[in-house]
Amino acid sequence: MSLIAVLGAGPIGATVAHRLAQRARVNAVRLIDASTAVAAGKALDIRQSGPVERFDTIIEADDDVRASATADVIVVADEVAGGEWQGDRGLAMIRQLVQAGITAPLVFAGPSQTWLMEKAYLELKVPAARLVGSAASAVATAVGALAGLETGSSAIDVAVVGRPPGLVIGWTSAASRGLLLTDHVPAHRLAAISQMIPKLWPPKPYAIGAATAPIVEALADGSRRHHHAVTVIDGDFGARGTAVMLPLRLGRGRIISHTLPSLSPQERTEFMNAVAG
């Protein structure tokens, strides 16, 4: 039985919980927030939508972050009163989890949590294989959808890499229907999509929820596909303890590997500049 803990019942946390419930690929979701009544109310709203949306995922609420101790995956989101878990306050919360001996992977769903991911690795010594950032994944999804519109097809799997919000699109390796995208979509159209990246950041709660749910499920049960998400690298690309968006292979409870897709010389230069920050 897979249990997912979502730390925070704010807009991001509640949307992630609802999306996980809708997809019905985990058994239970625990929504944890100090604002107990609000968390319980949102959990009830999600449960009551089950018969209409046809899911029976267990949704429960709690007010203590230590209630995530038994979870298979922990999503770090946003509190009702305090907003995103970030900064020193967020680091103190992660330290509490570490001291409690929690070994579940941590998925950072907030767009402002890059620093927190890096500090969890550098200061609290949480293994990089257990740290995943999902907010930037919403940007990769949006880019794929926009590329699909250019080809008149469904969303295309396009590599989006870099250190959020400095993201680079790997058009060189993108393909649709067996053909390289660069061969049948005009360069100025691809450039127009690239120029939209700043407007796509930060992604909104619903986009984050849609992008986060598959990543959480992959960490809970494993996955054969690659997921574009943020990982902490140490030594790769000349960076140490830096959170970077890359295609990740996710297994139960951890990141198995990360890869850098094929990039043109210009794309690689832009990527290295983004990583250097």
Side-chain angles (χ1 to χ4, degrees):
M1 176 177 179
S2 54
L3 167 65
I4 310 303
V6 180
L7 304 184
I12 296 173
T15 304
V16 169
H18 194 175
R19 188 62 179 142
L20 284 168
Q22 286 175 321
R23 290 169 61 89
R25 295 175 187 175
V26 300
N27 299 97
V29 179
R30 184 171 294 158
L31 196 56
I32 302 172
D33 198 296
S35 300
T36 314
V38 177
K42 291 189 177 183
L44 178 61
D45 285 345
I46 296 171
R47 283 200 305 272
Q48 290 180 334
S49 71
V52 178
E53 299 178 356
R54 298 185 179 181
F55 66 80
D56 59 359
T57 310
I58 299 168
I59 307 291
E60 54 193 24
D62 206 296
D63 63 353
D64 189 341
V65 295
R66 290 172 295 186
S68 62
T70 57
D72 295 283
V73 182
I74 300 172
V75 179
V76 182
D78 56 339
E79 287 196 301
V80 172
E84 280 186 51
W85 284 107
Q86 58 179 309
D88 291 336
R89 176 173 159 274
L91 191 61
M93 184 273 291
I94 300 296
R95 181 178 286 108
Q96 185 179 8
L97 297 180
V98 171
Q99 291 173 345
I102 291 173
T103 58
L106 303 175
V107 176
F108 294 82
S112 301
Q113 293 174 339
T114 302
W115 178 90
L116 184 56
M117 275 189 71
E118 293 170 344
K119 290 298 182 181
Y121 173 76
L122 291 169
E123 294 190 13
L124 303 182
K125 308 305 179 185
V126 179
R130 288 176 41 216
L131 301 172
V132 180
S134 63
S137 306
V139 176
T141 301
V143 168
L146 291 170
L149 290 175
E150 293 294 333
T151 61
S153 61
S154 58
I156 297 171
D157 188 14
V158 180
V160 180
V161 297
R163 187 175 189 274
L167 298 174
V168 178
I169 304 175
W171 293 123
T172 303
S173 57
S176 174
R177 300 169 181 169
L179 298 173
L180 288 175
L181 211 60
T182 51
D183 288 343
H184 63 288
V185 176
H188 74 276
R189 295 302 305 159
L190 299 181
I193 296 175
S194 295
Q195 291 168 5
M196 291 183 65
I197 288 284
K199 298 178 181 179
L200 297 174
W201 189 268
K204 302 303 181 185
Y206 189 84
I208 292 174
T212 300
I215 291 171
V216 170
E217 293 161 358
L219 287 168
D221 297 317
S223 174
R224 293 183 179 180
R225 57 169 289 217
H226 282 83
H227 296 261
H228 284 86
V230 176
T231 183
V232 177
I233 58 174
D234 197 346
D236 300 56
F237 319 117
R240 180 177 181 271
T242 302
V244 176
M245 171 96 138
L246 291 167
L248 307 181
R249 186 177 169 212
L250 304 176
R252 291 186 178 182
R254 66 189 182 94
I255 298 171
I256 297 175
S257 62
H258 64 260
T259 59
L260 181 64
S262 176
L263 301 174
S264 70
Q266 179 180 344
E267 290 167 350
R268 187 175 180 87
T269 297
E270 291 173 356
F271 169 76
M272 295 300 292
N273 290 340
V275 171

